[in-house]
């Protein structure tokens, strides 16, 4: 099935986090980058994908910042965020009509540099193989394990940095996350829930500048990348 003939895709963006490591006066998704919030940058390329029918934003119930963004009510359905990212994603998944939108993209609110072409490539590759997958980049650096001292070097062959969006069948992802949480499994991203459930996860290489804003230096780097790509 082609992306051009696909019946419908939902997008979930968990945006209820506080981003303590940024040491800012507001959650990192509401920091400004080239005149817009990080959240607005993160949403824009997803809305440009023709097969996307609906965007679900998981926000803190007492979020005082969203109203000041440039996003409009007809672009999204707001759902309550949970205690952790995975809870926010599940809350959104429970609101999706899987008959109309049988597949879902989940994207981090603080990844403002994702490219539309990477999103569409991820969708196309997953539709080709018939199961879900994630954007990722191969590890290029020598990897070490340890805390203050190195315990050993980790072989980097076949190691990947997991990015977002991550793209899965709506019902299968919802059921896998719910079952994993019920079993007390720690879920760090959607792929980890699918892996736990024994489902295949395709690795689709994306651009390495699809960084997640986590620390102050990341914001400066993102601003540089945006300037270069204008």
């Amino acid at each position: 099935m082609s992306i051009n003939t696909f019946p419908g895709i939902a997008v979930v963006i968990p945006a209820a986090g506080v981003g303590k490591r940024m040491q800012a006066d507001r959650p990192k998704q509401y920091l400004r980058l080239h005149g817009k919030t990080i959240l607005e940058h993160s949403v824009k390329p997803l809305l440009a994908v023709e097969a996307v029918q609906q965007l679900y934003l998981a926000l803190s119930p007492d979020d005082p910042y969203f109203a000041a963004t440039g996003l409009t009510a007809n672009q999204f359905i707001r759902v309550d965020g949970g205690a952790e990212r995975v809870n926010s994603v599940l809350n959104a998944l429970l609101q999706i009509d899987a008959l109309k939108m049988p597949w879902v993209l989940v994207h981090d609110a603080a990844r403002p540099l994702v490219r539309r072409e990477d999103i569409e490539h991820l969708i196309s590759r997953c539709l080709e193989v018939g199961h879900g997958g994630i954007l990722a980049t191969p590890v290029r650096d020598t990897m070490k394990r340890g805390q203050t001292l190195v315990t050993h070097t980790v072989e980097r062959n076949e190691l990947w940095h997991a990015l977002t969006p991550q793209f899965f069948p709506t019902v299968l992802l919802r059921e896998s996350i719910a079952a994993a949480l019920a079993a007390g499994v720690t879920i760090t991203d959607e792929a980890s829930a699918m892996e736990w459930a024994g489902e295949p996860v395709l690795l689709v290489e994306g651009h390495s500048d699809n960084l997640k804003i986590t620390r102050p230096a990341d914001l400066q780097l993102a601003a540089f990348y945006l300037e270069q790509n204008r």
Side-chain angles (χ1 to χ4, degrees):
M1 183 179 294
S2 158
I3 187 174
N4 296 322
T5 60
F6 198 70
I9 294 171
V11 171
V12 170
I13 297 188
V18 296
K20 293 180 179 178
R21 285 178 289 181
M22 281 298 295
Q23 303 172 5
D25 64 349
R26 63 194 60 204
K28 59 190 176 184
Q29 60 269 27
Y30 295 118
L31 296 175
R32 300 194 77 79
L33 186 63
H34 283 216
K36 295 181 180 180
T37 62
I38 289 172
L39 179 60
E40 289 172 85
H41 285 290
S42 299
V43 166
K44 182 179 178 181
L46 291 155
L47 292 176
V49 176
E50 187 174 348
V52 167
Q53 283 194 352
Q54 188 64 65
L55 173 69
Y56 294 79
L57 279 175
L59 303 174
S60 174
D62 57 353
D63 185 318
Y65 303 105
F66 181 77
T69 69
L71 297 171
T72 59
N74 65 347
Q75 293 176 307
F76 72 95
I77 293 175
R78 178 172 177 166
V79 300
D80 285 343
E84 302 291 341
R85 180 186 187 279
V86 65
N87 306 110
S88 294
V89 171
L90 182 57
N91 287 351
L93 290 170
L94 291 170
Q95 301 300 315
I96 298 173
D97 183 344
L99 292 177
K100 293 181 179 179
M101 291 167 283
W103 286 72
V104 60
L105 286 160
V106 183
H107 184 55
D108 292 328
R111 286 191 187 271
L113 301 173
V114 65
R115 305 183 189 198
R116 175 182 175 179
E117 56 264 36
D118 280 358
I119 301 169
E120 293 179 340
H121 183 51
L122 170 66
I123 294 170
S124 295
R125 290 287 294 117
C126 289
L127 295 182
E128 285 174 10
V129 300
H131 60 75
I134 67 173
L135 283 181
T137 55
V139 168
R140 294 179 173 86
D141 300 312
T142 299
M143 304 299 292
K144 304 290 186 181
R145 185 177 297 280
Q147 293 183 343
T148 56
L149 296 175
V150 172
T151 57
H152 64 277
T153 299
V154 179
E155 176 56 54
R156 70 185 176 191
N157 289 340
E158 299 185 357
L159 283 183
W160 294 70
H161 295 287
L163 312 175
T164 70
Q166 302 192 356
F167 185 58
F168 295 103
T170 304
V171 172
L172 193 55
L173 180 60
R174 183 168 62 207
E175 292 177 346
S176 297
I177 290 177
L181 290 177
V185 177
T186 298
I187 299 301
T188 55
D189 65 356
E190 293 66 53
S192 63
M194 300 297 278
E195 294 158 28
W196 177 81
E199 298 293 335
V201 177
L202 184 68
L203 290 164
V204 178
E205 186 168 355
H207 285 81
S208 59
D209 59 4
N210 180 11
L211 61 88
K212 185 176 182 180
I213 307 298
T214 303
R215 300 182 184 277
D218 298 330
L219 192 61
Q220 299 172 15
L221 184 56
F224 171 77
Y225 282 141
L226 275 176
E227 187 66 36
Q228 298 306 303
N229 291 330
R230 278 187 168 185

